[in-house]
Amino acid sequence: MELIVLWDIDHTLIENAGVSKEIYAAAFSSLAGREPSAPARTEGRTDRLIMRDMFLRDGLPVPEWSVIEAALAQAGHDRLDDLRLRGTALPGVHEVLKAAAARSGWVSSVLTGNIAANAHMKLSAFGLDSLLDLPAGAYGADAELRPELVAVARERIQQLLGVPADVPVVLVGDTPRDVEAALATGSAILAVASGVHSAEELAAAGAHEILPDLSDTRRVLGILESFSGT
């Protein structure tokens, strides 16, 4: 049984309690010299898109990506304690990630709109980083559009772990963009209604397997196993 499982982070594995939007605002302010006119629009978008749109919305030139990424990483580093204090791992996440990591033939990593530094920060805040193969994942600096991240993760997993190109991929996420990324790339999708999007919204986006959260480890693993093709 072989399977690649790629987990979203915010509102799928963790609740960031508003810290994410504070990171974007702080990164913007450090580069623009003033606060943004409105909060960042996230909703499953990549950091590249989120930050670019903040500058364009405020009528400012968009800095080089390397400069933006450094500002995001610094803002994330500065808010680790805030995240630990206010945020939390979502119900069942520790258990399901441990179980997935223990499965022979499975690769369990991330597909997230966060840059790698902030993805690591968020996961480490709640002791989740050691339960995932993070070097094999795909991050918000790797592409602008979420579907493009699937190919990035596949290539990394092939190069780092020698996993064949035809091994099935399943995305686990909480937004219609997670669903759309799966459908656009021929991947499976397990949607969780643990964020702002309801089960009905996720179904309308095309998800067939939808759970309220990841608290039922046996059920989650059963759904993931059904995507393995064995």
Side-chain angles (χ1 to χ4, degrees), residues 63 73 115 208:
I115 61 169
H208 298 294

Side-chain angles (χ1 to χ4, degrees), residues 44-82:
R45 299 156 82 231
T46 66
D47 280 2
R48 281 184 176 270
L49 281 182
I50 291 167
M51 292 299 295
R52 186 188 72 186
D53 287 358
M54 289 181 76
F55 282 95
L56 293 177
R57 180 187 59 194
D58 280 24
L60 298 174
V62 181
E64 292 290 331
W65 168 247
S66 60
V67 175
I68 294 176
E69 185 172 15
L72 282 170
Q74 184 62 53
H77 176 269
D78 292 344
R79 282 158 185 78
L80 173 59
D81 289 341
D82 287 340

Side-chain angles (χ1 to χ4, degrees), residues 10-36:
D10 293 298
H11 311 299
T12 298
L13 298 181
I14 74 162
E15 169 53 54
N16 67 60
V19 171
S20 280
K21 291 195 175 182
E22 293 170 11
I23 289 171
Y24 296 124
F28 178 94
S29 297
S30 72
L31 298 175
R34 62 174 175 81
E35 294 183 359

Side-chain angles (χ1 to χ4, degrees), residues 4-8 107-112 132 136-138 149-151 153-154 157 169-173 178 187 224:
I4 296 169
V5 186
L6 300 174
W7 309 83
D8 174 52
V107 176
S108 183
S109 188
V110 296
L111 189 144
T112 174
L132 292 155
L149 296 179
V150 177
R154 269 198 174 279
I157 290 166
V169 173
V170 54
L171 308 187
V172 184
D178 294 297
S187 306
L224 294 179

Side-chain angles (χ1 to χ4, degrees), residues 4 15 24 26 31 42 46 49-50 67 80 133 136 159 167-168 177 201-202 216-217 219 228:
I4 296 169
E15 169 53 54
Y24 296 124
L31 298 175
T42 53
T46 66
L49 281 182
I50 291 167
V67 175
L80 173 59
D133 194 338
Q159 291 178 347
V167 170
R177 281 190 171 84
E201 289 176 292
L202 296 169
D216 188 336
T217 300
R219 190 173 180 194
S228 69

